[in-house]
Each structure stands twice: as structure tokens, then as C-alpha cells.
Amino acid sequence: MASAAGQDADDDHRRNVSQGGARDRPSDRRVVSDTAGVAVLGACATWSLITATAHGGRPEGVLLAVLAVAAGYAAGRIFGALLPVAAPCAAALSGLCLTVALPRLTPGPEFAGPLGHAGATAAVLTLSAGAACCAAWATPVPALRLALRLLACGSAVTGAALGSTTAVVTCCAVLLCSLAAGRVRHRGPGLAGLAVAATAMTALFWAVAGNALPGGLAASLEDQLTPRRVDLWRDALRLARHDLGLGVGPGRFGELSPTAALSTVSDGKPHSAPLQMAAEQGVVGVLLLAAAFCWLLFALWRSSRPTPVVLTAGAALTALAAVAAVGNALSFTAVSVGAGLLAGLATARPLVVEPGTADGPSGPERGPLPRGGRPAA
């Protein structure tokens, strides 16, 4: 039965071209999304330097994260163009090997759930599952597609073996979203739904930190999240209110948080990316973090890859955003590189014709594919 992978926003691009829409050629789409990415990442780096100068902070962590995302994105674009199936498959295998080979990524005795290294484990395995599912949609070989989906299931199994419940949940969610993406006609509403989901999850955890939830629900969530994590979040909110504009400076949360100071093994982070940005870089920092996520979704929307590949990558990045909202996953360079790599793979323009694409290497002039987005057998 033919997949609905080709019935997506690429139809709109094809109609634009047929109406004289040379302005919306794939090369033009890439220029727009790449320019937006340069602007957003540049602004993130610049603002970290400004806030560090104002309060004597340490911007090295933010600068390294920005560089890691940019490097991963560039590598993904290159290898995704050359090896649209092998590159994401290799990325998925690398993520699995990384979580098994590096014990510091596994949960330690101090941390529960997505706190600390457990968050990094869940993040890497989630990205691995997303890469495997992207590779599955990129291949026209049914047996290989099944094998790659089994590889994605392997990420969930690995998470269970390492004791990371978060990894099991996020990997399964990515796999289910990827399977559902094959029946989605237009990528725009799907990506918008992912953006809403990420916003809702961040708002929920922010409300927990601000004591804005009803008593019963708040108590239940605090038990699941652990009291120490919630105390760190409340310290972050308190510091954010102290200076809404500039924050207290990058890298200074650990020295100003009473909860972090009382812990014998504290890493000096509030274990929530949005709250850390609010505390250390103010409201502008939070907006820039949101802009970076929106840029990734925008780049996926403008991508010429098939809609299932795009939505699968979007689902993995949204799951990563959820993990980062309750942990310090983005503090690990491997996670930042992996996020950029997955986005680059899903926005690359392969040098070979893919099933379900509206235009191959020769451009939009190839004409529409049969219903379902696959060449006729």
C-alpha cells in the first residue's frame, strides 16, 4: 500500500514553481533558513558575552554549546547530502555506542529520572532513535526500513537496560510519531503541533517551580520530579526575578543558589535549560533559547526532504526539549552536537532522488510524483 509520504508541503512548493514561483526554489529555501540560523546562533553567543561582561559570568559553556550545534548542523547537511541513509544510520549507532561506552552518561546513585547524567542518557538515546527512524524513511528498501526501525526500538531497550525510564518513554514516543508521520499530508500543522507541545511542557514545569499549580497536582509532580530538583528550579526563578533583563551572569547559578551550595556533589546547574537561561541571562536569554528551537522547526519546514523524515526529526528534537526542560542534558557537548546533526541530516538536500520528494537533484522541473510520493514500480 503506497505511503502518504509525498503528499505534504512539497505540493505547495511545486505549485509555486508552476506559477512562476522560482522565488521558492530549494536553494532559496535553504538560504532563508540558514540565514535565520546564523542570526539566532550569533545572537545567542553575543548575548552570553554581554551578560557575562555585565556580571562577571563565564560564557564558555554557552559559546561551546552554540559552536557544537553549528558544527553538528553543518556536518549533518554535508553527510546527509552524500549519504542520506547511511549517515543517519551511523549517527544512530554512534549514539547507542556512546551511551554504553561512557558510564558518566548513565544514571548515578545521586540522581533519579532525568536529573544529571540520566538526562544526557535519555537525550542521546532519543536522538539516536530519531536518526534511525529518519534513515528508515529515507530508504526505499522494505527490509532495511524494518531493520532501522528495530534499531530505533533498540534505543528504548538500551534505555531500559541503563535504568532510564525517561529514555524509554521518549524513544517510544519518537518511534510512534515517526510511524504516524507516514500518513500526514502536510508538515506545517505537524510542526506547529510539536511547537505547541514543547511550549506546553515548558510552561508546566515552570508552573511547578512557581507554585502556580493546584495543591494535589503540584504535590504529585514534585514527588515525581524530586524535591531537590524543584528547590533548584525555585532558586532559579528567584535569581531571575532579581534581574529580569540580564540575569546573574552565565555560569553563576551554582555560586548563588542556596540549594546547590548545600549539595556535596552539585554541578552548579538548576537542571532545566529554560530556567537556567532565565536565571543567568534573563528574559532575553529565554527568548533566544526559544528562538533557537523555533529556527530548527522552521528549517525543517523549509526542507526539501520527505515529510516523514522532517516530522520524525521534529519529534525527536521536541522530545529533547522536554528532557532539557527537566534536566541538564544541553550541558553535554555530545547532546548539542547530536541535536545539530539530526537537524542537519533532516534538512540536507541529497544528491540522489529520494522517495517522496517533490524535487530531486535536477530541481522542481521533474514534475509531480505519483500519489503516495513514490516512483512507479
Side-chain angles (χ1 to χ4, degrees):
M1 190 173 182
S3 169
Q7 306 298 321
D8 54 17
D10 295 328
D11 296 336
D12 299 331
H13 294 317
R14 191 186 302 118
R15 283 195 295 271
N16 287 340
V17 171
S18 66
Q19 296 169 1
R23 63 188 183 279
D24 203 28
R25 290 177 184 273
S27 59
D28 296 331
R29 299 202 298 269
R30 291 197 302 273
V31 168
V32 172
S33 60
D34 290 349
T35 302
V38 170
V40 170
L41 295 181
C44 291
T46 302
W47 185 249
S48 70
L49 292 173
I50 292 173
T51 54
T53 302
H55 294 293
R58 298 177 295 278
E60 295 85 358
V62 177
L63 296 177
L64 179 60
V66 170
L67 180 61
V69 171
Y73 186 75
R77 290 285 290 271
I78 294 171
F79 289 109
L82 297 174
L83 303 167
V85 178
C89 179
L93 289 172
S94 299
L96 284 173
C97 293
L98 181 66
T99 55
V100 173
L102 294 183
R104 290 200 65 196
L105 285 176
T106 60
E110 162 98 10
F111 304 120
L115 187 61
H117 299 299
T121 299
V124 172
L125 289 175
T126 300
L127 294 172
S128 296
C133 290
C134 286
W137 279 116
T139 179
V141 182
L144 182 56
R145 179 171 291 181
L146 176 61
L148 289 167
R149 285 176 177 157
L150 290 176
L151 177 60
C153 293
S155 296
V157 173
T158 302
L162 295 176
S164 176
T165 305
T166 305
V168 177
V169 173
T170 54
C171 289
C172 290
V174 169
L175 180 59
L176 292 176
C177 288
S178 178
L179 293 173
R183 308 187 66 85
V184 175
R185 291 174 57 89
H186 302 286
R187 67 185 61 179
L191 292 173
L194 292 175
V196 171
T199 302
M201 287 183 289
T202 301
L204 174 63
F205 300 134
W206 201 298
V208 171
N211 285 319
L213 295 177
L217 177 59
S220 175
L221 287 174
E222 287 182 24
D223 289 340
Q224 295 294 323
L225 294 167
T226 72
R228 176 175 173 264
R229 189 200 324 259
V230 176
D231 288 341
L232 288 170
W233 291 359
R234 288 170 180 162
D235 287 349
L237 275 183
R238 179 181 57 80
L239 293 174
R241 295 190 186 104
H242 177 72
D243 192 336
L244 288 174
L246 295 173
V248 298
R252 298 193 63 211
F253 175 83
E255 26 180 289
L256 299 176
S257 166
T259 304
L262 291 174
S263 176
T264 57
V265 290
S266 174
D267 59 0
K269 301 182 186 302
H271 295 273
S272 173
L275 289 169
Q276 181 173 353
M277 294 298 288
E280 297 183 346
Q281 299 187 46
V283 175
V284 176
V286 176
L287 293 177
L288 287 174
L289 181 64
F293 180 71
C294 290
W295 160 63
L296 292 175
L297 295 184
F298 175 73
L300 291 172
W301 178 62
R302 303 286 289 187
S303 172
S304 61
R305 300 296 299 274
T307 289
V309 174
V310 166
L311 292 181
T312 297
L317 293 172
T318 302
L320 173 62
V323 173
V326 293
N328 67 337
L330 296 185
S331 300
F332 292 80
T333 303
V335 176
S336 300
V337 172
L341 180 65
L342 180 61
L345 291 169
T347 55
R349 179 170 167 79
L351 301 180
V352 296
V353 179
E354 281 189 293
T357 52
D359 44 82
S362 59
E365 293 79 7
R366 290 178 62 249
L369 293 174
R371 181 175 179 82
R374 293 186 179 182

